[in-house]
Amino acid sequence: MILDFGTARMRATTVAIADPGPLERFLPESGQGSAFIRRGDGVVALGEVARFETDRLDAADVWWDEISNQIDHDSELPGEFGTGPLALGSFIFDPDRSMERSVLTVPQVIIGRRGDLAWMTRLGDARRGTALPSPGEPTRRPGHITQMGGSLRRGEWERIVAEVVTLIRSGEVDKVVLARDLHLKADGPLDLRHIYGRLLETYPMTWAYLIDGLVGATPELLLRRQGGLVTSRVLAGTVWQDGSGAVDPLTLAAELARSEKDMSEHAFAVRSVADALAPYCRAMNVPDSPSVLRLPNVMHLATDVTGVVEPGATSLALAAALHPSAAVCGTPTHLAMDIIAEVETIDRGRYAGPVGWVDMDGDGEWAIALRGGQVRPESPESIQLFAGAGIVADSTPSVEVQETAAKFVPMLQALGVAPS
């Protein structure tokens, strides 16, 4: 814990405001800002009144419960989803094997919008009233960017995929999600606000996140807890477009829906989410077959699992139960995690971990930190991108490399780098 309220209580005020325009314009260049936005709706958070660094989601849940109990909240919008004091955070993929830490922060000012409703929440310093903070400075495009390569060469990664396919075919495990990375370096500090703005513009249907140096645009919602309902969007099974337009998107979607390999991979992921949520739900709905989610450069098989939540199960507690799902780890989870740790060679850090927010009632939205990258304070000019692919018995190493290359595209576009 870096900052805390101590024994003093904190006052928070939430007021309705006129449409503030694009939320991301309030992000400061200093980096003391976070954001979680989809289709223009979401929140931007400024400043920091409390911060918790941890290895565990359940520890963060306990910490936030203690902190939120110290906040006296006055609101013009009582009961509206997402309003009021929040904690925003991102969590490491594997707490047992990562050198990094998860982080959960309580911002001083939150500006939010959902549909026609816009609001601002301020913690402390009530004298500032309802005046919005000034917009941040204009964003800066990256200068010249050099691609430094990944931790493994393409051929080395293909060899690892082939080894894992052999393990799967021998019956040792059903599915393993393998990731690889790509390092890029600019000629000066990167302005994450610019990268974030490009992602919002190009991929509006995703959940775009910017939290503590982690930036990306993920299509996968780990969960939304709103009142007594929980929803989890499962994505697994991918086909990509090469950009030439030679293949009709409807043809690609039909191929994806008929692919035994992709349908099998998707079924593992859906089952893992349904099994993890079941102890926390009174009733659940798991669709029999997936739909196809189309993004600008890829398509995914998608299933929305829903449930009626038992009292007391917060969004952080549900995230702890769900993570890691088969969509980002494999099946069985503990065996897949061990294989990942043994063969992958990279520290995923907060890639593929939960990222999002929780409110004082335990409601919240947590996505999976995919299609993103990490900038670290000691190297503000460098960024590490990540992409993964689900490996099953029918996987072909060269095809899995192509899939990860397609998943690098959103961040490369945002950086102004032509995908190779």
Side-chain angles (χ1 to χ4, degrees):
M1 188 182 304
I2 297 177
L3 294 172
D4 203 343
F5 295 165
T7 58
R9 298 192 65 80
M10 177 71 70
R11 178 166 294 280
T13 304
T14 297
V15 295
I17 60 174
D19 188 343
L23 298 175
E24 65 274 14
R25 72 190 184 101
F26 292 98
L27 288 167
E29 188 177 11
S30 65
Q32 285 293 309
S34 301
F36 192 82
I37 300 172
R38 180 175 185 262
R39 300 179 67 182
D41 287 356
V43 294
V44 163
L46 311 176
E48 188 175 288
V49 299
R51 179 183 180 95
F52 186 59
E53 295 186 1
T54 182
D55 293 328
R56 305 288 175 179
L57 274 157
D58 51 4
D61 191 24
V62 172
W63 179 82
W64 172 238
D65 182 62
E66 294 174 350
I67 292 295
S68 59
N69 283 330
Q70 299 178 50
I71 301 174
D72 297 317
H73 181 214
D74 297 323
S75 178
E76 295 181 356
L77 305 166
E80 290 287 351
F81 181 62
T83 65
L86 306 177
L88 289 88
S90 61
F91 292 84
I92 52 180
F93 172 76
D94 185 352
D96 294 327
R97 298 179 177 92
S98 178
M99 299 296 292
E100 299 194 19
R101 301 275 280 174
S102 302
V103 60
L104 192 67
T105 66
V106 182
Q108 184 175 35
V109 177
I110 301 164
I111 304 168
R113 177 176 50 237
R114 196 169 305 278
D116 294 331
L117 182 69
W119 68 90
M120 180 179 68
T121 298
R122 187 184 295 275
L123 275 73
D125 198 8
R127 293 171 297 176
R128 295 195 179 187
T130 59
L132 282 173
S134 299
E137 303 84 353
T139 65
R140 291 177 288 101
R141 293 177 178 271
H144 176 72
I145 292 182
T146 302
Q147 296 194 46
M148 312 298 289
S151 300
L152 291 176
R153 295 180 180 274
R154 171 177 175 151
E156 294 172 318
W157 197 77
E158 287 187 354
R159 176 184 55 79
I160 291 171
V161 171
E163 291 177 359
V164 171
V165 169
T166 299
L167 290 175
I168 294 171
R169 290 176 178 175
S170 70
E172 293 191 31
V173 66
D174 295 321
K175 173 186 174 181
V176 178
V177 179
L178 293 179
R180 64 189 186 105
D181 65 355
L182 181 62
H183 295 265
L184 299 96
K185 186 174 183 179
D187 55 9
L190 290 163
D191 187 346
L192 296 186
R193 301 171 307 150
H194 176 79
I195 299 170
Y196 189 67
R198 291 288 304 275
L199 292 170
L200 287 170
E201 179 182 351
T202 311
Y203 296 89
M205 293 299 292
T206 65
W207 287 266
Y209 55 90
L210 174 58
I211 294 179
D212 208 56
L214 190 71
V215 61
T218 177
E220 190 153 359
L221 182 70
L222 182 63
L223 71 99
R224 175 189 297 110
R225 179 192 185 271
Q226 184 173 358
L229 299 177
V230 61
T231 301
S232 179
R233 170 164 291 180
V234 182
L235 300 184
T238 305
V239 67
W240 53 93
Q241 298 161 286
D242 61 10
S244 67
V247 182
D248 179 68
L250 293 178
T251 300
L252 285 174
E255 291 176 359
L256 180 61
R258 291 194 302 265
S259 167
E260 291 186 9
K261 179 261 184 187
D262 290 297
M263 290 293 285
S264 174
E265 179 186 344
H266 188 79
F268 286 133
V270 172
R271 188 181 313 126
S272 75
V273 167
D275 290 346
L277 282 179
Y280 300 89
C281 294
R282 298 175 178 176
M284 293 182 61
N285 178 50
V286 183
D288 293 331
S289 58
S291 60
V292 175
L293 174 67
R294 181 181 177 185
L295 298 173
N297 68 317
V298 297
M299 296 182 189
H300 298 289
L301 293 175
T303 296
D304 286 344
V305 178
T306 58
V308 179
V309 183
E310 295 282 3
T314 69
S315 64
L316 271 172
L318 294 170
L322 284 171
H323 177 74
S325 73
V328 294
C329 179
T331 305
T333 301
H334 67 286
L335 295 178
M337 188 75 88
D338 288 342
I339 292 171
I340 290 168
E342 181 179 348
V343 306
E344 203 170 71
T345 75
I346 61 173
D347 182 349
R348 293 190 182 187
R350 289 179 282 150
Y351 163 73
V355 58
W357 59 268
V358 58
D359 71 8
M360 293 175 65
D361 296 322
D363 283 347
E365 292 180 310
W366 295 94
I368 301 177
L370 306 175
R371 312 292 197 276
Q374 174 78 42
V375 173
R376 296 172 175 84
E378 64 272 17
S379 303
E381 72 287 347
S382 300
I383 187 168
Q384 182 183 17
L385 310 185
F386 297 89
I391 312 303
V392 293
D394 295 335
S395 292
T396 302
S398 61
V399 174
E400 302 302 338
V401 168
Q402 294 174 34
E403 178 175 331
T404 57
K407 291 174 179 177
F408 280 132
V409 167
M411 286 298 294
L412 292 174
Q413 290 176 332
L415 287 160
V417 176
S420 59

